[in-house]
Structure formats: structure tokens, C-alpha cells
Amino acid sequence: MKKKVTVLGNGLVGSVMALDLAEDEGYEVTVCDRDEAGLGRTKERSRGKVDTRSDVDFTSPDSITEAVRGQDLCIGAVPGFLGYPMVGAVIRAGVDLSDISFMGEDYREWDGQAKAAGVTAFEDVGVAPGSSSILIGYACDLLDQVEDVTYYVTGLPADPKPPFDYKLVFSPDDLIEEYVRPARTKRDGRILTVSALSGRKMLDFDLPGIKLPRMEGFFTDGSRTLLDTIPSPNVTEYTLRYPGTAERMEFLREIGLFGTEPVDVKGCKVVPRDLFGALAYPKMRLEEGENEFTFYHVEVTGRKDGKRLQYRYSLYDERDGVTGYPSMSRTTGFPCVIVGRLVAEGVLKMPGVNPPEAVGKNHKAVERFMEELRKRNVVLHHSVVEL
């Protein structure tokens, strides 16, 4: 019997997840969004395999609960500010969930209700946090003692154009939150809060057969649950951009252009971030066929059998020339779908609300996860170095 799955959100990532699921004859897929034109494109592209609904109100938890009730699995791809109530709505429907919604709240507050309902939910199952977190959790589980976790992540246009040198590959509001939300890092067992965009440094990376540009790394608040779920006294995330980005974004932030409270402009109330979005987002829109890449590099250092080792994982992916899927849609959407499948198959039956790194303790699930990524031509480079 086919498993019924509903995808909440049909944006750049949600549509790719729906289409990926629809390729499997074992799933009956419905995707929900208010954008009827976008839903039509997804349905057409799936050759009619995807059902669509435009009547689900993502701002109404009750609407979400009714939409997913009776399903075997829900895939979450709503904007971050809608994510927290969405998780609760899906739990109340008694449906398992795999979700990429990058919410500001601590989603683990829903853990008790999920356990009581027998619901398995995995959150932040994108690229970073997401697949990088799964590999971090896996490496930590392989080591006897963990000393340090440092990782770097980005999604960038292959041909950058000023003034932003950036193209939107996920929710624009979530992008600005990266530049605004204070970043947390862990040093010697203590969680420290620092300003987003701080800690800047220039970085060069080498991958076999791949030429990566010089990039600038800075702190963002992507470590999230890794700060308290893995046995490492040191945890640091760096977001990577083309050089100069952090300084420009810091200037815009400091003059208040990313603010969300209305200001008076000649008698009119204007929300600064809305003004910035109206002017800037069209200039950052990813053009049809434009190439971009996603990259992360993870280093987990510790001791095993008396040796000091470093597990290294690097992911590099570009726009798929056959399907046209942007790399960020692929590397964010595929992990979420794969984890969802593992939940639906019973490989990851873990009632409660789980962070992605929790997958790392299930080595069978990690092996399947990496195998499924390879099937989708998402390439991971892996090495273990004795220090």
C-alpha cells in the first residue's frame, strides 16, 4: 500500500522535495501552498503524480492539522517564522514529520507532546544544520572523546555580481535572520553569544578536481542544538560568502535597514526590512538556468584508541543540468526527504522531536542516508586524518 505524504510549502526547496518523493511509486504525494501558479508548475513537472492544495493556511495551526490528518508522513518546508506552530499542528494530527523550517524558537519544547502522541519528528533536516549535523553526530559517536567541532557552509552563485555577490536560494527572511540573530558558539564547555557577522576570516579550501573561490567566513547562529547535544567542549559554525559581504551586511544592519519595527518616514509608517526586501530581493533573485553551488566542510577532532584523529566531511554540489534543480534546493531538500523516508520505513522510529545529529547514533540510518545522497549525485568527500 502506498504511503501518504503531504509537503507543506512549494517554494524552491518544497517543490523539489515533492517531485523527488513522487518519483517513488510507493508514495502518494500532496503539496500545499497558496501560490496556485507554482503548484500548477509542480504538478505539470511531476506528470500528474503530485496532487496539490491551495486551501491550506500556514498561519492557522488548525488548518495544517486538518490538512495532514491521516497521512503517514509530513514534510515541512514553510518559512522559519511559521515553523514552530506548524510542528505543534502536525504533532496534534498524530503524523510523523521531517522538517527544514529554520525557526527561532526551540522546537524541542514540543518533545513531550510528540512522545505522548507517538510521533517521530526530525527538525532542521536541511544542509547545515541538517546533513552536516548528521555527519557530525556520526563522527562524535565513532570517537572515544570529542575535542572540537568546526564547520563551514555556504550557497553561492558561481558568477557573483555586485553589490550583493549573492543570489537567493532559500527564504529571504531566513537569510536576513542569519545576519541579525546573535550567534552562539561554544568554547571550553561554555556557550558564548557573539554578534552575527563577527569573527571574520579569509579561507581557502581544496577538493579533488574542484576549484573553489576564496571565501570569507563569519559567525552565524547555525550551531543550534549541536551546542548541547554532542559531547564536544568546542563547537563553531562559520557561514561563507564572497569577500566583503559581511562588512556590507553589517553596515545595512547597523543603520537599521534590517529592522522589523515601523519607523516614521515623512508621515508614513515603514518597516525597514520590508523596504529593503522590496528593493533588494529582486536583485538577488536566482535567474533561470543560473549556476550556483553549495559547499560545506566539517572537521570533528578527538581521540579514538589512543590516537588523535580528525574526521573530515566535505560536500560540494552545483545546479543539476538535467533537472535544473538549484544545488541549495537539492542539498537542503534531499536530506529532509531521505530522513522522512527512513522514518516512514521504521528505520528511524524515535518518538519525540529530534535534532538531525540524533540520526548519527543510528549507523545503519547514516549508511542509508549517504547511499541515498549518492543516488541523487550529491557527492560527499570523507577522510580521517591522524594528527
Side-chain angles (χ1 to χ4, degrees):
M1 182 180 295
K2 288 188 176 184
K3 294 185 181 297
K4 297 179 180 179
V5 55
T6 290
V7 180
L8 300 175
N10 186 54
L12 280 171
V13 182
S15 58
V16 169
M17 293 196 286
L19 291 166
D20 183 78
L21 283 161
E23 290 299 311
D24 190 329
E25 294 296 331
Y27 288 87
E28 184 179 300
V29 184
T30 302
V31 60
C32 306
D33 202 286
R34 283 299 179 93
D35 181 358
E36 294 188 5
L39 289 174
R41 289 190 294 270
T42 299
K43 187 177 184 70
E44 180 180 7
R45 186 157 193 177
S46 74
R47 302 180 300 281
K49 294 180 181 178
V50 171
D51 290 326
T52 63
R53 289 187 60 176
S54 61
D55 61 332
V56 182
D57 181 0
F58 293 160
T59 67
S60 166
D62 288 344
S63 180
I64 292 173
T65 297
E66 289 306 310
V68 303
R69 196 185 303 278
Q71 299 290 287
D72 297 298
L73 176 69
C74 177
I75 300 291
V78 303
F81 71 95
L82 294 172
Y84 185 79
M86 180 272 293
V87 174
V90 175
I91 290 170
R92 286 191 291 277
V95 177
D96 293 334
L97 171 68
S98 184
D99 180 32
I100 61 168
S101 306
F102 194 74
M103 64 200 74
E105 302 91 342
D106 187 347
Y107 52 73
R108 291 175 293 181
E109 293 173 358
W110 292 113
D111 185 63
Q113 291 191 36
K115 283 185 168 71
V119 167
T120 295
F122 279 91
E123 292 296 318
D124 279 350
V125 199
V127 58
S131 67
S132 61
S133 311
I134 291 172
L135 297 173
I136 288 169
Y138 180 55
C140 287
D141 203 52
L142 294 174
L143 289 165
D144 299 326
Q145 179 185 354
V146 185
E147 298 175 357
D148 184 89
V149 172
T150 301
Y151 62 103
Y152 310 83
V153 61
T154 193
L156 289 170
D159 181 21
K161 293 180 175 60
F164 297 108
D165 293 336
Y166 185 83
K167 289 300 178 75
L168 288 168
V169 286
F170 59 97
S171 166
D173 289 331
D174 289 350
L175 169 70
I176 299 306
E177 279 300 307
E178 283 194 345
Y179 302 150
V180 171
R181 187 184 299 161
R184 293 165 296 163
T185 187
K186 194 174 183 182
R187 283 285 172 266
D188 299 322
R190 295 176 57 239
I191 298 175
L192 308 175
T193 300
V194 298
S195 177
L197 303 170
S198 64
R200 299 195 281 266
K201 61 179 181 179
M202 293 299 171
L203 294 154
D204 296 291
F205 296 92
D206 291 317
L207 286 178
I210 297 170
K211 182 174 177 57
L212 283 161
R214 166 164 276 206
M215 291 178 281
E216 169 186 71
F218 50 82
F219 296 143
T220 51
D221 194 40
S223 294
R224 295 164 72 80
T225 53
L226 288 170
L227 296 169
D228 59 57
T229 60
I230 59 171
S232 178
N234 301 292
V235 180
T236 308
E237 181 205 59
Y238 289 92
T239 286
L240 302 172
R241 294 286 185 265
Y242 286 109
T245 297
E247 184 177 12
R248 292 194 294 271
M249 294 302 104
E250 186 176 50
F251 171 75
L252 296 175
R253 183 187 70 192
E254 294 309 306
I255 66 172
L257 206 49
F258 294 158
T260 55
E261 293 299 320
V263 297
D264 187 273
V265 181
K266 295 184 177 180
C268 297
K269 293 294 184 181
V270 178
V271 176
R273 192 180 297 192
D274 290 346
L275 174 62
F276 174 79
L279 296 173
Y281 294 164
K283 293 180 173 62
M284 288 192 280
R285 186 174 295 119
L286 191 68
E287 302 297 330
E288 185 71 30
E290 183 176 4
N291 192 24
E292 37 73 61
F293 68 90
T294 304
F295 168 75
Y296 66 62
H297 178 73
V298 170
E299 296 177 348
V300 180
T301 307
R303 296 185 180 276
K304 182 177 179 64
D305 299 330
K307 297 178 181 179
R308 191 162 183 262
L309 303 176
Q310 186 174 84
Y311 287 82
R312 297 174 180 172
Y313 299 93
S314 296
L315 175 148
Y316 180 85
D317 190 69
E318 294 186 3
R319 170 184 283 273
D320 188 302
V322 177
T323 64
Y325 296 162
S327 70
M328 185 59 74
S329 299
R330 287 163 45 81
T331 56
T332 302
F334 291 159
C336 188
V337 165
I338 294 167
V339 168
R341 288 173 184 267
L342 293 175
V343 171
E345 292 174 16
V347 177
L348 283 171
K349 201 62 180 174
M350 298 169 58
V353 180
N354 305 282
E357 57 271 19
V359 176
K361 289 185 175 295
N362 185 327
H363 294 195
K364 177 184 176 182
V366 174
E367 290 167 7
R368 277 283 309 280
F369 179 80
M370 295 175 74
E371 177 188 347
E372 291 294 329
L373 284 180
R374 284 192 293 271
K375 286 180 182 177
R376 293 161 175 80
N377 295 317
V378 175
V379 180
L380 279 167
H381 299 268
H382 170 227
S383 64
V384 183
V385 179
E386 186 172 352
L387 302 177

